Amino acid sequence: MPVAYAYSEELIEYADKLPSNKGRASRVNALIESFGLMDKFDGIIRVKPCTQADLEKYHDKNFIKFLLTGDDGLDAESETEGEESDESYEGKDEPVSKEALYGLHYDCPPFDGLEKYVKLVAGATLQCADYLVSLLDTDIAQNTSKVAINWTGGRHHAKRAACSGFCYVNDINLGIQRLRTKFDKVLYVDLDLHHGDGVETAFAYSDKVKSVSVHRYERGFFPGTGGMNTTSRSVVNIPTKYGLSDKSFIQIFDTIIVAEKEDFQPDAVVVTTGCDGLARDELREWNLSFSSFEYIIDQIVNSWKLPTLLLGGGGYHTLDTARCLAICTAAALNVPDRKQWVEIPMHDYFNEYVKDNYSLRVESHVRHNTPDENSEEYLKKLADYFEHRR
Ligand code: V1S
Ligand code: CA
Ligand code: ZN
């Protein structure tokens, strides 16, 4: 069961600095280690920073220069008057700051270690893609799963020349491009609560990459894109309402996502798992437990059996994200006794789990009194819509 895991002390140290997810990478990694999963991987991908040239394979050169050094080398005049930004409406001659131009503010503030962070996170996804690319054709033809995991990746909102929504560079697009050097067709599956807008934009006109995102969709909900009618040949947007339950999530997967995969016949798969749909997540939008993620990851990895790149994405309840990603890792590895795991093993962050009595699968993770606004009728409407357009 070849599953490779992207890790280095440096990757965890710098991923821990991400302002929206401080300390998450170390909790996720430590929990995976504490369940003894490190010994079960086929290989540990020793992550090193990627190069500036690697980032420029998808991103705009000036943007990357500014992100890495704080200076894009252009004079300020090129960003004054006439740029489409909120500031330019205020007074038409007012300059737009470079930070605003490149989205390096609000949700994406600069932080200490940013340069190393982006090179390591993108480097991890690229090295995972390289691992899959370097598989022998005989390995690929075999009826086993082939997986590479980077839980610090999955930065799906970053654009070619701008940071967006806690995402500084789009490691997913870089990874898909790298996978495409060997695999003809790549299916992208985005399970994060938010719409995978940055990936959709990058490959919207490609016949070779199909992006499927299931997400919360409502006026005013970030990023505001991903309505059902924005679906095309290579873009499948599955908008959902408040309170999505495990049952509805699994139904969407089993009906729409599986059918889109069958229709496309991909040669490789990239998944952004995203744990911000969990019931106790700070965003409190969906109402999912770990079991639906476990089921979906198990299906993708162990039933589809295609070369698969698993990435992280969102997740703002740090310890539940660690629980969920540890369970997903065990599912990818097909660890048979994982269903019997009930307690958090002793490890560096063990004491932080005291509130839930050190348990792994806490029943209260699902808010039982939260209605699932995705009614049977609504789910059927979604399924019918996608069936008719195939
Ligand atoms: N949803 C949401 C959300 N929450 C915040 C936020 C909260 C506290 C802060 F101190 C700063 C920001 N921002 C947002 C969203 C971006 C969500 C990104 C999700 C990322 C991911 O999980 O999909 C994957 C990695 N941004 C907005 O809603 C935009 C604003 C409209 C509101 C917040 N302000 C700060 C900027 C503009
Ligand atoms: Ca999504
Ligand atoms: Zn998200």
Side-chain angles (χ1 to χ4, degrees), residues 145-385:
S145 53
K146 314 127 250 264
V147 182
I149 300 177
N150 172 22
W151 291 137
T152 68
R155 312 315 300 175
H156 60 175
H157 299 305
K159 307 296 186 308
R160 200 178 85 84
C163 309
S164 172
F166 312 154
C167 301
Y168 293 79
V169 287
N170 200 310
D171 62 299
I172 310 166
N173 293 346
L174 293 166
I176 292 174
Q177 282 178 330
R178 186 68 60 92
L179 287 173
R180 288 263 304 114
T181 62
K182 179 180 180 90
F183 302 107
D184 186 39
K185 289 192 277 176
V186 177
L187 176 70
Y188 174 64
V189 178
D190 191 314
L191 306 172
D192 186 282
L193 173 74
H194 297 93
H195 175 223
D197 56 346
V199 182
E200 171 180 314
T201 308
F203 301 106
Y205 301 104
S206 168
D207 290 348
K208 302 294 186 180
V209 180
K210 183 182 219 176
S211 80
V212 179
S213 175
V214 52
H215 43 264
R216 182 80 175 89
Y217 181 70
E218 189 180 62
R219 183 186 282 271
F221 188 73
F222 186 87
T225 47
M228 192 160 59
N229 58 5
T230 57
T231 290
S232 67
R233 226 178 112 81
S234 58
V235 173
V236 176
N237 282 319
I238 311 168
T240 69
K241 300 171 191 281
Y242 176 79
L244 189 78
S245 61
D246 284 334
K247 183 170 171 281
S248 300
F249 196 35
I250 288 174
Q251 193 172 323
I252 287 170
F253 177 79
D254 281 343
T255 55
I256 304 168
I257 299 179
V258 168
E260 292 296 337
K261 177 251 171 190
E262 287 299 313
D263 199 45
F264 187 55
Q265 293 290 311
D267 302 295
V269 181
V270 177
V271 182
T272 290
T273 309
C275 300
D276 41 7
L278 289 172
R280 298 201 302 187
D281 192 90
E282 267 181 27
L283 299 177
R284 299 185 78 79
E285 289 287 344
W286 284 349
N287 194 18
L288 304 176
S289 78
F290 312 133
S291 60
S292 48
F293 286 98
E294 181 178 6
Y295 171 81
I296 293 172
I297 296 300
D298 179 45
Q299 288 296 303
I300 292 177
V301 170
N302 300 309
S303 163
W304 295 4
K305 294 195 169 95
L306 291 163
T308 302
L309 172 49
L310 295 180
L311 303 170
Y316 305 98
H317 186 300
T318 301
L319 299 184
D320 279 2
T321 301
R323 287 174 166 106
C324 189
L325 295 182
I327 289 170
C328 287
T329 308
L333 285 160
N334 216 353
V335 174
D337 64 355
R338 67 179 189 275
K339 302 278 180 198
Q340 277 87 59
W341 294 353
V342 285
E343 280 171 11
I344 300 294
M346 187 58 77
H347 69 294
D348 280 357
Y349 303 102
F350 178 77
N351 288 338
E352 296 181 8
Y353 292 82
V354 60
K355 264 205 275 176
D356 292 306
N357 219 10
Y358 310 104
S359 52
L360 174 66
R361 295 168 186 271
V362 186
E363 243 310 276
S364 65
H365 287 187
V366 175
R367 288 175 277 137
H368 289 289
N369 52 358
T370 298
D372 181 354
E373 292 182 0
N374 300 276
S375 62
E376 272 301 327
E377 297 72 55
Y378 181 68
L379 294 177
K380 185 164 179 340
K381 187 180 125 189
L382 282 176
D384 287 349
Y385 177 85

